[in-house]
């Protein structure tokens, strides 16, 4: 039995000294790693702090614009498409990055979605900015997203827009050791009296300030609320709804949602990292019920094309629209109904203001011409109808694919095949094995001549890289000449669930002309089709070729189905009525 002396108890052994020194070194190394973190390209902490300070100043400047003078007109509309980036610096330990972009134009700032684990991200997202004059500088900064720490700058580039027009897809070099970003910029000069109906803070606020200015100065008799203290919004904007929830990123960040008549805001301070999201309700396209991890009920707020993210990177989607997902509500369904009701009230208010403005303009014109009813009617028509009609399809993408003679007149072609009472579209889609067919009614449109309607369905996909089927939307445009001898039928098809589906549209045109006055034959002068690309795509040529070939097959099947359908309808009409114009039988309806 060994008896330890007091000296052996008090003095540590050599093994204990080794363990203590190793543990101390580990603590020092961990402290240095977490509190002196640097990027791979030598950016020290002081630079990151300076960058974050500049970002905070920019955020304050962005919020201060709410208090500035309203501008209801804008001279130029800039559409910037963030397409892709390559050779970005690897900021993560595994050599990759989680890149997202912040695009700044004037006082407006937008966020792109974050692409996880990639040095070659592809976004395909659009951002719209309104500016009063040119030239203007656009700053695109690429960041690496971090769950806990502040985002690291991967590089930036400044692009100067000097005149209207478009640049095409151009690769710009970042001001970093490596990295390029691909942008497509299109600048459009707006009419002098065009309303600044733009997304983002400036656009939504301009409409709001125009409404508030009618009421004179606003006097607020209450203390500033969270919308003013946290988000620096206008003093007269107050919280109507408030929910405890989380926002979905690469990590769930708990915070609180504040809803006003004009904005949906979210604030989080988890892990000592503040997040502020300010979504103008005018930028919202849809508010949908969704799920997080299949078990957590959530709400997805989808922003319209060109809106971009506000405050933190949003989530991307296949159709190019960005979205924010909120979960962990106490009562998800109740919160969803309240948010949808708020969005509906916002649009109702805008429609009422628009109607009031139109009526005011009409009354002003009527009083200026002495109150004549006849002249007031002329003024009303001038206000409601555009001077120049817009083209429904892109002429430059069409390619002729069919020319033949068809056994009916132009008027009969529309009446029998495409009228609201016709069942031809049902039979044709059934022959294609399409499902979930929903057809709208023909109606007039202010920006186009003739009539338009929307047709939605699900179509089978035969490509192995595509899903089994995809949701399709087809916009149709029909024009019948006054003498009813020429019929023009145009279509724009959009695929929603296929890869790059939001990048292109399939445009088609049918031009039919009756070639004999007393004959029921028709000459299909040209059936044209083409793929119009809204965004640059790496497989653009393959998509264009495949789309035209697919449309040719659709035309062949459509004409085959149309011949048999018209034959049945015409024979039934001749049996019941021996007139030169065939009537539609009950089977055709």
């Amino acid at each position: 039995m060994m008896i330890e002396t007091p000296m052996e108890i008090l003095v540590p052994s050599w093994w204990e000294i080794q363990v203590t020194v190793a543990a101390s070194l580990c603590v020092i190394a961990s402290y240095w790693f977490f509190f002196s973190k640097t990027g791979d390209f030598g950016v020290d902490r002081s630079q990151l702090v300076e960058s974050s300070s500049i970002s905070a100043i920019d955020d304050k400047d962005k919020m201060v614009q709410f208090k500035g003078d309203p501008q209801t007109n804008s001279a130029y509309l800039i559409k910037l498409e963030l397409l892709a980036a390559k050779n970005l610096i690897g900021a993560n330990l595994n050599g990759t990055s989680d890149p997202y972009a912040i695009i700044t134009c004037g006082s407006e700032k937008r966020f792109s979605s974050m692409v996880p684990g990639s040095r070659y991200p592809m976004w395909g997202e659009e951002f719209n900015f309104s500016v009063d004059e040119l030239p203007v500088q656009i700053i695109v900064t690429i960041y690496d997203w971090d769950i806990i720490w502040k985002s690291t700058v991967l590089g930036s580039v400044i692009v100067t827009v000097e005149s209207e027009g478009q640049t095409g897809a151009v690769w710009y070099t970042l001001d970093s050791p490596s990295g390029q970003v691909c942008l497509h910029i299109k600048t459009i000069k707006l009419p002098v009296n065009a309303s600044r109906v733009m997304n983002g803070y400036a656009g939504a606020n301009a409409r709001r300030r125009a409404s508030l200015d009618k009421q004179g100065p606003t006097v607020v008799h209450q203390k500033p609320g969270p919308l003013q203290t946290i988000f620096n919004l206008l003093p007269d904007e107050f919280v109507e709804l408030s929910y405890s929830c989380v926002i979905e990123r690469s990590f769930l960040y708990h915070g609180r949602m504040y809803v006003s008549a004009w904005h949906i805001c979210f604030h989080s301070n988890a892990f000592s990292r503040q997040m502020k999201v300010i979504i103008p309700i005018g930028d919202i396209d849809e508010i949908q019920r969704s799920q997080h991890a299949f078990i957590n009920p959530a709400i997805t707020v989808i922003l319209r094309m060109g809106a971009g993210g506000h405050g933190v990177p949003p989530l991307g989607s296949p159709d190019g629209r960005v979205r924010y997902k909120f979960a962990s509500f106490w009562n998800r369904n109740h919160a969803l109904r309240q948010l949808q009701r708020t969005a509906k009230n916002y649009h109702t208010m805008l429609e009422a203001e628009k109607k009031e403005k139109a009526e005011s303009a009409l009354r002003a014109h009527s009083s200026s011409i002495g109150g004549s009813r006849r002249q007031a009617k002329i003024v009303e028509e001038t206000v409601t109808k555009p001077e120049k009609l817009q083209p429904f399809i892109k002429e430059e993408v069409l390619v002729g694919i069919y020319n033949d003679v068809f056994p009916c007149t132009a008027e009969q072609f529309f009446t029998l095949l495409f009228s609201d009472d016709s069942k031809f579209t049902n039979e044709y889609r059934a022959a294609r094995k399409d499902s979930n067919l929903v057809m709208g009614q023909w109606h007039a449109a202010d920006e186009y001549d003739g009539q338009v309607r929307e047709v939605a369905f699900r179509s089978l996909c035969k490509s192995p890289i595509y899903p089994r089927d995809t949701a399709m939307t087809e916009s149709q445009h029909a024009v019948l000449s006054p003498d009813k001898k020429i019929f023009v039928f145009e279509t724009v098809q959009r695929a929603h669930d296929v890869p790059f589906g939001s990048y292109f549209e399939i445009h088609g045109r049918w031009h039919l002309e009756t070639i004999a006055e007393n004959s029921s034959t028709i000459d299909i002068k040209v059936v044209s089709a083409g793929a119009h690309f809204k965004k640059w795509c790496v497989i653009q040529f393959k998509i264009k070729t495949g789309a035209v070939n697919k449309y040719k097959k659709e035309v062949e099947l459509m004409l085959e189905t149309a011949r048999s359908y018209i034959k049945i309808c015409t024979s039934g009409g001749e049996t019941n009525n021996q007139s030169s114009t065939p009537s539609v039988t009950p089977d055709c309806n």
Side-chain angles (χ1 to χ4, degrees):
M1 181 176 180
M2 297 180 61
I3 300 176
E4 296 181 352
T5 64
M7 185 64 67
E8 291 177 343
I9 296 175
L10 297 177
V11 177
S13 64
W14 177 246
W15 179 82
E16 291 175 334
I17 294 175
Q18 287 180 323
V19 171
T20 303
V21 171
S24 301
L25 292 176
C26 290
V27 171
I28 294 173
S30 301
Y31 180 88
W32 176 85
F33 176 80
F34 285 106
F35 292 94
S36 302
K37 182 182 177 184
T38 60
D40 292 344
F41 48 94
V43 179
D44 57 21
R45 183 166 180 82
S46 62
Q47 291 175 324
L48 291 180
V49 172
E50 182 181 356
S51 174
S52 64
S53 300
I54 296 174
S55 176
I57 293 174
D58 290 342
D59 288 341
K60 291 181 179 179
D61 291 340
K62 175 180 67 178
M63 297 305 178
V64 166
Q65 69 178 309
F66 285 114
K67 302 179 180 180
D69 295 333
Q71 295 180 357
T72 55
N73 292 323
S74 177
Y76 296 93
L77 169 64
I78 298 178
K79 293 187 175 183
L80 184 144
E81 294 183 29
L82 177 65
L83 302 175
K86 61 182 179 181
N87 297 326
L88 296 178
I89 295 173
N92 297 335
L93 296 179
N94 59 0
T96 63
S97 295
D98 304 318
Y100 69 95
I102 297 180
I103 299 97
T104 305
C105 180
S107 59
E108 300 182 53
K109 181 182 293 187
R110 308 291 167 75
F111 287 69
S112 76
S113 61
M114 184 268 291
V115 180
S118 175
R119 295 179 57 213
Y120 298 83
M122 294 187 63
W123 285 286
E125 297 175 3
E126 181 179 304
F127 305 86
N128 296 341
F129 299 95
S130 58
V131 297
D132 297 324
E133 58 182 2
L134 297 179
V136 66
Q137 286 187 337
I138 299 177
I139 304 175
V140 180
T141 307
I142 310 296
Y143 291 85
D144 171 62
W145 175 264
D146 199 297
I147 296 179
I148 299 178
W149 308 109
K150 292 181 179 180
S151 300
T152 305
V153 179
L154 302 181
S156 63
V157 64
I158 299 177
V159 182
T160 302
V161 179
E162 298 181 347
S163 60
E164 58 181 311
Q166 54 183 338
T167 62
V170 180
W171 287 94
Y172 297 91
T173 302
L174 303 176
D175 60 350
S176 57
S178 68
Q180 290 181 307
V181 61
C182 186
L183 307 174
H184 177 274
I185 302 175
K186 183 177 181 181
T187 306
I188 303 173
K189 185 174 179 61
L190 299 177
V192 177
N193 296 325
S195 176
R196 191 174 186 174
V197 184
M198 289 296 304
N199 44 14
Y201 299 140
N205 187 57
R207 287 195 301 267
R208 180 186 178 194
R209 298 314 306 166
S211 175
L212 293 179
D213 288 343
K214 299 177 183 179
Q215 306 171 5
T218 302
V219 180
V220 181
H221 300 283
Q222 58 183 6
K223 294 182 179 180
L227 296 181
Q228 289 75 39
T229 57
I230 300 176
F231 305 101
N232 200 22
L233 296 182
L234 288 170
D236 58 344
E237 192 163 354
F238 59 92
V239 177
E240 297 182 354
L241 303 169
S242 179
Y243 302 101
S244 174
C245 59
V246 300
I247 187 171
E248 178 183 339
R249 294 299 318 142
S250 51
F251 189 84
L252 293 179
Y253 295 87
H254 182 268
R256 194 157 195 88
M257 176 186 290
Y258 304 94
V259 183
S260 71
W262 293 88
H263 297 91
I264 296 178
C265 304
F266 177 84
H267 176 252
S268 172
N269 195 15
F271 303 107
S272 299
R273 177 171 185 168
Q274 286 209 28
M275 286 189 179
K276 297 179 183 180
V277 180
I278 306 177
I279 307 175
I281 297 182
D283 285 355
I284 297 177
D285 197 6
E286 295 180 70
I287 301 178
Q288 295 181 346
R289 177 186 289 106
S290 59
Q291 297 288 129
H292 171 259
F294 299 101
I295 58 174
N296 190 5
I299 296 175
T300 300
V301 179
I302 303 176
L303 306 186
R304 59 187 175 87
M305 187 75 71
H310 303 281
V312 297
L315 302 175
S317 60
D319 60 2
R321 298 180 299 173
V322 297
R323 54 197 169 89
Y324 287 100
K325 181 179 286 188
F326 303 94
S328 298
F329 290 90
W330 178 260
N331 189 333
R332 191 274 309 270
N333 293 336
H334 174 75
L336 175 65
R337 289 192 296 268
Q338 293 296 328
L339 292 178
Q340 290 175 339
R341 184 178 295 110
T342 300
K344 183 178 179 181
N345 294 339
Y346 172 85
H347 291 290
T348 302
M349 177 179 58
L350 289 187
E351 289 297 327
E353 291 182 359
K354 183 179 178 181
K355 184 178 179 180
E356 180 184 355
K357 184 178 179 181
E359 292 177 351
S360 300
L362 183 60
R363 286 193 298 268
H365 280 286
S366 301
S367 60
S368 64
I369 59 176
S372 173
R373 292 185 178 181
R374 178 175 176 273
Q375 293 181 349
K377 183 177 181 181
I378 296 176
V379 172
E380 183 180 3
E381 293 177 353
T382 306
V383 172
T384 57
K385 293 185 180 180
E387 297 180 359
K388 186 177 180 180
L389 298 175
Q390 300 179 9
F392 191 78
I393 60 175
K394 298 291 183 181
E395 299 274 355
E396 61 272 15
V397 304
L398 298 182
V399 178
I401 60 176
Y402 197 86
N403 189 295
D404 202 352
V405 176
F406 206 75
C408 72
T409 63
E411 181 183 8
Q412 294 166 1
F413 191 90
F414 171 73
T415 304
L416 297 179
L417 301 183
F418 295 106
S419 64
D420 291 331
D421 297 331
S422 175
K423 299 296 182 182
F424 166 73
T425 303
N426 302 71
E427 293 191 8
Y428 167 62
R429 293 298 169 189
R432 279 180 42 87
K433 298 182 180 179
D434 295 336
S435 59
N436 299 346
L437 176 63
V438 178
M439 289 193 301
Q441 299 289 318
W442 288 107
H443 61 277
D446 294 337
E447 60 270 29
Y448 309 112
D449 57 343
Q451 295 180 318
V452 296
R453 73 173 178 181
E454 293 284 334
V455 178
F457 55 92
R458 296 198 67 86
S459 178
L460 296 177
C461 299
K462 299 182 180 179
S463 175
I465 65 173
Y466 288 172
R468 179 180 178 275
D469 60 355
T470 176
M472 298 286 296
T473 302
E474 183 176 274
S475 301
Q476 299 180 350
H477 176 224
V479 180
L480 187 63
S481 63
D483 58 1
K484 299 182 179 180
K485 292 185 178 181
I486 298 177
F487 174 62
V488 178
F489 179 66
E490 298 173 330
T491 61
V492 177
Q493 290 185 353
R494 306 174 188 87
H496 299 288
D497 302 328
V498 301
F500 302 101
S502 63
Y503 285 43
F504 66 94
E505 299 172 337
I506 306 301
H507 291 201
R509 166 180 286 173
W510 296 54
H511 183 94
L512 303 100
E513 184 175 354
T514 303
I515 58 177
E517 188 172 335
N518 297 324
S519 174
S520 59
T521 59
I522 190 167
D523 179 23
I524 302 179
K525 289 253 177 147
V526 60
V527 176
S528 306
H532 166 57
F533 282 83
K534 301 181 290 184
K535 304 178 184 177
W536 176 81
C537 177
V538 292
I539 56 174
Q540 184 166 319
F541 177 78
K542 184 176 181 180
I543 292 177
K544 182 181 296 185
T545 305
V548 174
N549 292 335
K550 182 180 179 181
Y551 198 86
K552 288 181 181 178
K553 297 179 180 179
E554 287 192 17
V555 169
E556 294 175 357
L557 178 60
M558 182 180 290
L559 291 177
E560 181 182 353
T561 308
R563 284 190 176 94
S564 60
Y565 186 87
I566 288 179
K567 184 177 181 180
I568 295 174
C569 295
T570 306
S571 61
E574 291 177 350
T575 303
N576 298 326
N577 187 5
Q578 299 295 330
S579 63
S580 59
T581 303
S583 61
V584 180
T585 64
D587 293 336
C588 298
N589 294 332

